[in-house]
Amino acid sequence: ERRVPAIPLREKRIPLIIDTDAANEIDDLYALGLALRSPDRFDLKGIVATHFAAKAGPESIQQSYDVIEELLSAADSRQTVKLGGDPLLYPRQPSKSEGAEFIIECASAADSSNPLYVLGLGAASNLASALLMAPEIIETSVFMFHGRSEDTWPVRTTQFNIYGDILATQVLLESEVPLIWFDTGTRICATMEETERYVAPLGKLGEYLHKFRFRNEYFMGPDKGFFDLGDIAWLIEPSLCEATVVDAPTLTRWMYFDHTGDNGKMLYISEINVENTWQLFYSRLAVHV
């Protein structure tokens, strides 16, 4: 029977891999920045660069890799970074990559009493591929997926990550891996004035994160969402969100949730405290200035 992940204890350091399409959006970078500045909470094993196939091609994997390396340089941090794979082409057939192999390697070295957390901030291709290649890692890992449904849960989703690899998301929901489904973060916004005032002064990393907004007019909007920041914030401080145990649905090819099957239970995260999330972010970056 599928195990339901426990809410991470505050005093416990979490072994973590972050799988991210960092070149696609600015929120991934803010999430990574918070994780890098929280070594007391995370034993960060490495980062996997992911495609954003919903609007780009295979070169998007390398683009994500390059942006991750940029961020690490700004943070003066050394981390293992691996290239992920392409979207799944056929049902339940993995897309092999060094990123998927890295997830398997780290999960195989973990212990069931202190499992590896694998956080998917982009399409689920590498997470699903690792599960298909080595299903035994369900014993020593917890998978967390940013599957924000924009208030359409439990009926359907139009989320970018899911659209980028529907087959991979189906694997996550139908597998036996302990699963955390993160369905919040839409309201985590900041104006250019706010990041200039509160983020830019926070050292070289803060300056990089603020200036990255100038690379795309969309990033500069006053209502720009920093969605993925919420995933890392919740892992640090679980009281920021509501957590509910729900039935894991099946996902149809048209991105509707089918609740008639039996995929076991999963932990469903919603309703984030936006103000406290930003305060956590500012305080963590400020410690390293």
Side-chain angles (χ1 to χ4, degrees), residues 144-207:
M144 179 171 167
F145 183 63
H146 188 95
R148 201 176 68 257
S149 58
E150 309 287 2
D151 299 322
T152 58
W153 171 270
V155 177
R156 71 163 311 186
T157 178
T158 58
Q159 218 277 330
F160 183 87
N161 294 344
I162 297 172
Y163 180 72
D165 195 340
I166 294 173
L167 293 176
T169 310
Q170 290 172 332
V171 169
L172 284 191
L173 288 168
E174 296 171 24
S175 75
E176 295 182 0
V177 72
L179 182 61
I180 301 171
W181 191 272
F182 194 85
D183 189 2
T184 187
T186 302
R187 295 182 293 110
I188 305 176
C189 302
T191 64
M192 290 294 291
E193 292 76 18
E194 286 173 318
T195 55
E196 181 177 19
R197 179 178 180 183
Y198 297 115
V199 179
L202 299 178
K204 186 179 175 183
L205 176 59
E207 182 181 13

Coordinates of all heavy atoms in Angstrom, one line a residue, residues 144-207:
M144 N 8.1 15.0 -4.5 CA 7.3 16.2 -4.3 C 7.2 16.9 -5.7 O 8.2 17.1 -6.3 CB 7.9 17.1 -3.3 CG 7.1 18.4 -3.0 SD 7.7 19.2 -1.5 CE 6.9 20.8 -1.7
F145 N 6.0 17.2 -6.1 CA 5.8 17.7 -7.4 C 5.0 19.0 -7.4 O 3.9 19.1 -6.8 CB 5.1 16.7 -8.3 CG 4.9 17.1 -9.7 CD1 5.9 17.4 -10.6 CD2 3.6 17.2 -10.3 CE1 5.8 17.8 -11.9 CE2 3.4 17.6 -11.6 CZ 4.5 17.9 -12.4
H146 N 5.5 20.0 -8.1 CA 4.7 21.3 -8.2 C 3.7 21.1 -9.3 O 3.9 21.4 -10.5 CB 5.7 22.4 -8.5 CG 5.1 23.8 -8.5 ND1 5.1 24.6 -7.4 CD2 4.3 24.4 -9.4 CE1 4.5 25.7 -7.6 NE2 4.0 25.6 -8.8
G147 N 2.5 20.8 -8.9 CA 1.4 20.5 -9.8 C 0.2 21.5 -9.6 O -0.9 21.1 -9.5
R148 N 0.6 22.8 -9.5 CA -0.4 23.8 -9.2 C -1.6 23.7 -10.2 O -1.4 23.7 -11.4 CB 0.3 25.2 -9.3 CG -0.4 26.3 -8.6 CD 0.4 27.6 -8.7 NE 0.5 28.1 -10.0 CZ 1.5 27.9 -10.8 NH1 2.6 27.3 -10.4 NH2 1.5 28.4 -12.1
S149 N -2.8 23.7 -9.7 CA -4.0 23.6 -10.6 C -4.8 24.8 -10.8 O -5.9 24.8 -11.4 CB -4.9 22.4 -10.0 OG -5.3 22.7 -8.7
E150 N -4.3 26.0 -10.2 CA -5.0 27.3 -10.5 C -6.5 27.2 -10.1 O -7.4 27.6 -10.8 CB -4.9 27.7 -11.9 CG -3.4 27.7 -12.5 CD -2.6 28.8 -11.9 OE1 -3.1 29.6 -11.1 OE2 -1.4 28.9 -12.3
D151 N -6.7 26.6 -8.9 CA -8.1 26.6 -8.3 C -9.1 25.7 -9.1 O -10.3 25.8 -8.9 CB -8.7 28.0 -8.2 CG -7.9 28.9 -7.4 OD1 -7.4 28.5 -6.3 OD2 -7.8 30.1 -7.7
T152 N -8.5 24.8 -9.9 CA -9.4 23.8 -10.6 C -9.4 22.4 -10.0 O -10.1 21.5 -10.5 CB -9.0 23.7 -12.1 OG1 -7.7 23.3 -12.2 CG2 -9.2 25.1 -12.8
W153 N -8.6 22.2 -9.0 CA -8.6 21.0 -8.2 C -9.9 20.8 -7.5 O -10.4 21.8 -7.0 CB -7.4 21.0 -7.2 CG -7.4 19.8 -6.3 CD1 -8.1 19.8 -5.0 CD2 -6.8 18.5 -6.5 NE1 -7.9 18.5 -4.5 CE2 -7.1 17.8 -5.3 CE3 -6.1 18.0 -7.5 CZ2 -6.7 16.5 -5.2 CZ3 -5.6 16.7 -7.3 CH2 -5.9 15.9 -6.2
P154 N -10.5 19.7 -7.5 CA -10.0 18.3 -7.9 C -10.5 17.9 -9.3 O -10.5 16.7 -9.6 CB -10.5 17.4 -6.8 CG -11.9 18.0 -6.5 CD -11.7 19.5 -6.6
V155 N -11.0 18.9 -10.1 CA -11.6 18.5 -11.4 C -10.5 18.3 -12.5 O -10.5 17.3 -13.2 CB -12.6 19.6 -11.8 CG1 -13.2 19.3 -13.2 CG2 -13.7 19.7 -10.8
R156 N -9.7 19.3 -12.7 CA -8.7 19.2 -13.7 C -7.5 20.1 -13.4 O -7.4 20.8 -12.4 CB -9.3 19.6 -15.1 CG -9.6 21.1 -15.3 CD -9.8 21.4 -16.7 NE -8.8 20.9 -17.6 CZ -8.6 21.2 -18.9 NH1 -9.5 21.9 -19.5 NH2 -7.7 20.7 -19.6
T157 N -6.5 20.2 -14.4 CA -5.4 21.0 -14.3 C -5.0 21.5 -15.7 O -5.2 20.8 -16.6 CB -4.2 20.3 -13.6 OG1 -3.1 21.2 -13.6 CG2 -3.8 19.1 -14.4
T158 N -4.5 22.7 -15.7 CA -3.9 23.3 -17.0 C -2.4 23.7 -16.7 O -1.9 24.5 -17.5 CB -4.7 24.5 -17.5 OG1 -4.7 25.5 -16.5 CG2 -6.1 24.1 -17.8
Q159 N -1.8 23.1 -15.7 CA -0.5 23.5 -15.2 C 0.6 23.3 -16.2 O 0.6 22.2 -16.9 CB -0.2 22.9 -13.9 CG 0.5 23.7 -12.9 CD 2.0 23.7 -13.1 OE1 2.6 22.8 -13.6 NE2 2.6 24.8 -12.8
F160 N 1.5 24.2 -16.4 CA 2.5 24.1 -17.4 C 3.4 22.9 -17.2 O 3.7 22.2 -18.2 CB 3.4 25.4 -17.3 CG 4.5 25.5 -18.3 CD1 4.3 26.0 -19.6 CD2 5.8 25.0 -18.0 CE1 5.3 26.1 -20.5 CE2 6.8 25.1 -19.0 CZ 6.5 25.7 -20.2
N161 N 3.8 22.6 -16.0 CA 4.6 21.4 -15.7 C 4.0 20.1 -16.2 O 4.6 19.3 -16.8 CB 4.9 21.3 -14.2 CG 5.8 22.4 -13.7 OD1 6.4 23.2 -14.5 ND2 5.8 22.6 -12.4
I162 N 2.7 20.0 -16.0 CA 2.0 18.8 -16.4 C 1.8 18.7 -17.9 O 2.0 17.7 -18.5 CB 0.6 18.8 -15.6 CG1 0.9 18.7 -14.1 CG2 -0.2 17.6 -16.1 CD1 -0.4 18.8 -13.3
Y163 N 1.5 19.8 -18.5 CA 1.3 19.9 -19.9 C 2.6 19.5 -20.6 O 2.6 18.9 -21.7 CB 0.8 21.3 -20.3 CG 0.6 21.4 -21.8 CD1 -0.5 20.8 -22.5 CD2 1.5 22.2 -22.6 CE1 -0.6 21.0 -23.8 CE2 1.3 22.4 -23.9 CZ 0.2 21.7 -24.6 OH 0.1 21.9 -25.9
G164 N 3.7 19.8 -20.0 CA 5.0 19.5 -20.6 C 5.4 18.1 -20.7 O 6.2 17.7 -21.5
D165 N 4.7 17.2 -19.9 CA 4.9 15.8 -20.0 C 3.8 15.1 -19.3 O 3.9 14.7 -18.1 CB 6.3 15.3 -19.5 CG 6.7 13.9 -19.9 OD1 5.8 13.2 -20.3 OD2 7.8 13.6 -19.8
I166 N 2.7 14.9 -19.9 CA 1.5 14.3 -19.3 C 1.8 12.9 -18.9 O 1.4 12.4 -17.9 CB 0.3 14.4 -20.3 CG1 -0.1 15.9 -20.4 CG2 -0.9 13.6 -19.7 CD1 -1.2 16.1 -21.5
L167 N 2.5 12.1 -19.8 CA 2.8 10.7 -19.5 C 3.6 10.6 -18.2 O 3.4 9.7 -17.5 CB 3.6 10.1 -20.7 CG 2.8 10.0 -22.0 CD1 3.7 9.5 -23.1 CD2 1.6 9.1 -21.9
A168 N 4.5 11.5 -18.0 CA 5.3 11.4 -16.8 C 4.5 11.7 -15.6 O 4.7 11.0 -14.5 CB 6.5 12.4 -16.9
T169 N 3.6 12.7 -15.6 CA 2.7 13.0 -14.5 C 1.8 11.8 -14.2 O 1.6 11.5 -13.0 CB 1.9 14.2 -14.8 OG1 2.7 15.3 -15.2 CG2 1.2 14.7 -13.5
Q170 N 1.4 11.1 -15.2 CA 0.6 9.9 -15.0 C 1.3 8.8 -14.2 O 0.8 8.2 -13.3 CB 0.1 9.4 -16.3 CG -0.9 10.2 -17.0 CD -1.3 9.8 -18.4 OE1 -0.4 9.2 -19.1 NE2 -2.5 10.1 -18.9
V171 N 2.6 8.7 -14.5 CA 3.5 7.7 -13.8 C 3.5 8.1 -12.3 O 3.4 7.3 -11.5 CB 4.9 7.7 -14.4 CG1 5.8 6.9 -13.5 CG2 4.8 7.1 -15.8
L172 N 3.8 9.4 -12.0 CA 3.9 9.8 -10.6 C 2.6 9.5 -9.9 O 2.7 8.9 -8.7 CB 4.1 11.3 -10.6 CG 5.4 12.0 -10.9 CD1 5.4 13.4 -10.5 CD2 6.5 11.2 -10.2
L173 N 1.5 9.8 -10.4 CA 0.2 9.6 -9.7 C -0.1 8.1 -9.6 O -0.7 7.7 -8.6 CB -0.9 10.3 -10.4 CG -0.9 11.8 -10.3 CD1 -1.9 12.5 -11.3 CD2 -1.2 12.2 -8.9
E174 N 0.2 7.3 -10.6 CA -0.1 5.9 -10.6 C 0.9 5.0 -9.9 O 0.6 3.8 -9.7 CB -0.4 5.4 -12.0 CG -1.6 6.1 -12.7 CD -1.7 5.8 -14.1 OE1 -1.2 4.7 -14.6 OE2 -2.3 6.6 -14.9
S175 N 2.1 5.5 -9.7 CA 3.1 4.7 -9.0 C 2.9 4.5 -7.5 O 1.9 5.1 -7.0 CB 4.5 5.3 -9.2 OG 4.6 6.5 -8.4
E176 N 3.7 3.8 -6.8 CA 3.6 3.6 -5.4 C 4.5 4.5 -4.6 O 4.7 4.4 -3.4 CB 3.8 2.2 -5.0 CG 2.8 1.2 -5.6 CD 3.0 -0.2 -5.2 OE1 4.0 -0.5 -4.5 OE2 2.2 -1.1 -5.6
V177 N 5.2 5.5 -5.3 CA 6.1 6.3 -4.6 C 5.3 7.3 -3.6 O 4.3 7.8 -4.0 CB 6.9 7.2 -5.6 CG1 6.1 8.3 -6.2 CG2 8.2 7.8 -4.9
P178 N 5.8 7.4 -2.4 CA 5.2 8.4 -1.5 C 5.3 9.8 -2.2 O 6.3 10.3 -2.6 CB 6.1 8.4 -0.3 CG 6.7 7.0 -0.3 CD 6.9 6.7 -1.8
L179 N 4.1 10.4 -2.3 CA 4.0 11.6 -3.2 C 3.4 12.8 -2.4 O 2.4 12.7 -1.7 CB 3.1 11.3 -4.4 CG 2.9 12.4 -5.4 CD1 4.2 12.8 -6.0 CD2 1.9 11.9 -6.5
I180 N 4.1 13.9 -2.6 CA 3.5 15.2 -2.1 C 3.2 16.1 -3.3 O 4.0 16.3 -4.2 CB 4.6 16.0 -1.2 CG1 5.0 15.1 0.0 CG2 4.0 17.3 -0.8 CD1 6.2 15.7 0.7
W181 N 1.9 16.5 -3.4 CA 1.4 17.2 -4.5 C 1.2 18.7 -4.1 O 0.4 19.0 -3.2 CB 0.1 16.7 -5.0 CG -0.4 17.2 -6.3 CD1 -1.2 18.3 -6.4 CD2 -0.2 16.7 -7.6 NE1 -1.5 18.5 -7.8 CE2 -0.9 17.5 -8.5 CE3 0.5 15.6 -8.1 CZ2 -0.9 17.3 -9.9 CZ3 0.5 15.3 -9.4 CH2 -0.2 16.2 -10.3
F182 N 2.1 19.6 -4.6 CA 2.1 21.0 -4.1 C 1.2 21.8 -5.0 O 1.5 22.0 -6.2 CB 3.5 21.5 -4.2 CG 3.7 22.8 -3.4 CD1 4.0 22.8 -2.1 CD2 3.6 24.0 -4.1 CE1 4.1 24.0 -1.4 CE2 3.8 25.2 -3.5 CZ 4.0 25.2 -2.1
D183 N 0.1 22.3 -4.5 CA -0.9 22.9 -5.3 C -1.2 24.3 -4.7 O -2.3 24.6 -4.3 CB -2.2 22.1 -5.3 CG -3.2 22.7 -6.3 OD1 -2.9 23.7 -7.0 OD2 -4.3 22.1 -6.4
T184 N -0.2 25.1 -4.6 CA -0.3 26.5 -4.2 C 0.9 27.3 -4.7 O 1.8 26.8 -5.3 CB -0.5 26.6 -2.6 OG1 -0.8 27.9 -2.2 CG2 0.8 26.1 -1.9
G185 N 0.9 28.6 -4.4 CA 2.0 29.5 -4.8 C 1.6 30.5 -5.8 O 2.4 31.4 -6.1
T186 N 0.4 30.5 -6.3 CA -0.1 31.5 -7.3 C 0.0 32.9 -6.8 O 0.3 33.8 -7.5 CB -1.5 31.2 -7.8 OG1 -1.6 29.8 -8.3 CG2 -2.0 32.1 -8.9
R187 N -0.3 33.1 -5.5 CA -0.3 34.4 -5.0 C 1.0 35.0 -4.5 O 1.1 36.1 -3.9 CB -1.4 34.5 -3.8 CG -2.8 34.2 -4.3 CD -3.8 34.3 -3.2 NE -3.6 33.2 -2.2 CZ -3.2 33.4 -1.0 NH1 -2.8 34.6 -0.6 NH2 -3.0 32.4 -0.1
I188 N 2.1 34.2 -4.7 CA 3.4 34.7 -4.2 C 3.9 35.6 -5.3 O 4.5 35.2 -6.3 CB 4.4 33.5 -4.0 CG1 3.8 32.5 -3.0 CG2 5.7 34.0 -3.5 CD1 4.7 31.3 -2.9
C189 N 3.7 36.9 -5.1 CA 4.0 37.9 -6.1 C 4.9 39.0 -5.5 O 4.9 39.2 -4.3 CB 2.8 38.6 -6.7 SG 1.6 37.4 -7.5
A190 N 5.6 39.8 -6.3 CA 6.4 40.9 -5.8 C 6.6 41.9 -7.0 O 6.8 41.5 -8.1 CB 7.7 40.4 -5.3
T191 N 6.5 43.1 -6.7 CA 6.7 44.2 -7.7 C 8.2 44.4 -7.9 O 9.0 43.9 -7.1 CB 6.1 45.5 -7.3 OG1 6.7 46.0 -6.1 CG2 4.6 45.4 -7.0
M192 N 8.6 45.0 -9.0 CA 10.0 45.4 -9.2 C 10.5 46.2 -8.1 O 11.7 46.1 -7.6 CB 10.2 46.1 -10.5 CG 9.9 45.2 -11.7 SD 11.2 43.9 -11.9 CE 12.7 44.9 -12.3
E193 N 9.7 47.1 -7.6 CA 10.1 48.0 -6.5 C 10.4 47.2 -5.2 O 11.4 47.5 -4.5 CB 9.0 49.0 -6.2 CG 8.8 50.1 -7.2 CD 8.0 49.5 -8.4 OE1 7.4 48.5 -8.3 OE2 8.1 50.2 -9.5
E194 N 9.6 46.1 -5.0 CA 9.8 45.3 -3.8 C 11.1 44.5 -3.9 O 11.8 44.4 -2.9 CB 8.6 44.4 -3.6 CG 7.4 45.1 -3.1 CD 6.1 44.2 -3.1 OE1 5.9 43.4 -4.0 OE2 5.4 44.3 -2.1
T195 N 11.3 43.9 -5.0 CA 12.6 43.1 -5.1 C 13.8 44.0 -5.1 O 14.9 43.6 -4.7 CB 12.6 42.2 -6.3 OG1 12.3 42.9 -7.5 CG2 11.5 41.1 -6.2
E196 N 13.7 45.2 -5.7 CA 14.8 46.2 -5.7 C 15.1 46.6 -4.2 O 16.3 46.7 -3.8 CB 14.5 47.4 -6.5 CG 15.6 48.4 -6.5 CD 15.3 49.6 -7.4 OE1 14.1 49.8 -7.7 OE2 16.2 50.3 -7.8
R197 N 14.0 46.7 -3.4 CA 14.2 47.2 -2.0 C 14.7 46.1 -1.1 O 15.5 46.3 -0.3 CB 12.9 47.8 -1.5 CG 13.0 48.3 -0.1 CD 11.7 49.0 0.3 NE 11.7 49.4 1.7 CZ 10.7 50.0 2.3 NH1 9.5 50.2 1.7 NH2 10.8 50.4 3.6
Y198 N 14.1 44.9 -1.3 CA 14.3 43.8 -0.3 C 15.2 42.7 -0.7 O 15.8 42.0 0.1 CB 12.9 43.2 0.1 CG 12.0 44.2 0.8 CD1 10.8 44.5 0.1 CD2 12.3 44.7 2.0 CE1 9.9 45.4 0.7 CE2 11.4 45.6 2.6 CZ 10.2 46.0 2.0 OH 9.3 46.8 2.5
V199 N 15.3 42.5 -2.1 CA 16.1 41.4 -2.5 C 17.5 41.8 -3.0 O 18.5 41.3 -2.7 CB 15.4 40.6 -3.7 CG1 16.3 39.4 -4.2 CG2 14.1 40.1 -3.2
A200 N 17.5 42.9 -3.8 CA 18.8 43.3 -4.4 C 19.9 43.6 -3.4 O 21.1 43.3 -3.7 CB 18.5 44.6 -5.3
P201 N 19.6 44.1 -2.2 CA 20.7 44.4 -1.3 C 21.2 43.2 -0.6 O 22.2 43.3 0.2 CB 20.0 45.3 -0.2 CG 18.8 45.8 -0.9 CD 18.3 44.7 -1.8
L202 N 20.6 42.0 -0.9 CA 21.0 40.8 -0.1 C 22.2 40.1 -0.8 O 22.1 38.9 -1.2 CB 19.8 39.9 0.0 CG 18.6 40.4 0.8 CD1 17.4 39.5 0.8 CD2 19.0 40.8 2.2
G203 N 23.3 40.8 -0.9 CA 24.5 40.2 -1.4 C 24.5 40.0 -2.9 O 23.6 40.4 -3.6
K204 N 25.5 39.3 -3.4 CA 25.6 39.0 -4.8 C 24.5 38.2 -5.4 O 24.0 38.4 -6.5 CB 27.0 38.3 -5.1 CG 27.3 38.1 -6.5 CD 28.7 37.4 -6.7 CE 29.0 37.0 -8.1 NZ 30.2 36.3 -8.3
L205 N 24.0 37.2 -4.5 CA 22.9 36.4 -5.0 C 21.6 37.2 -5.1 O 20.9 37.1 -6.1 CB 22.7 35.2 -4.0 CG 21.5 34.3 -4.2 CD1 21.5 33.7 -5.6 CD2 21.3 33.3 -3.1
G206 N 21.3 38.1 -4.1 CA 20.2 38.9 -4.1 C 20.2 39.8 -5.3 O 19.1 40.0 -6.0
E207 N 21.3 40.4 -5.6 CA 21.5 41.3 -6.7 C 21.2 40.6 -8.0 O 20.5 41.1 -8.9 CB 22.9 41.9 -6.8 CG 23.1 42.9 -7.9 CD 24.5 43.4 -7.9 OE1 25.4 42.9 -7.2 OE2 24.8 44.4 -8.7

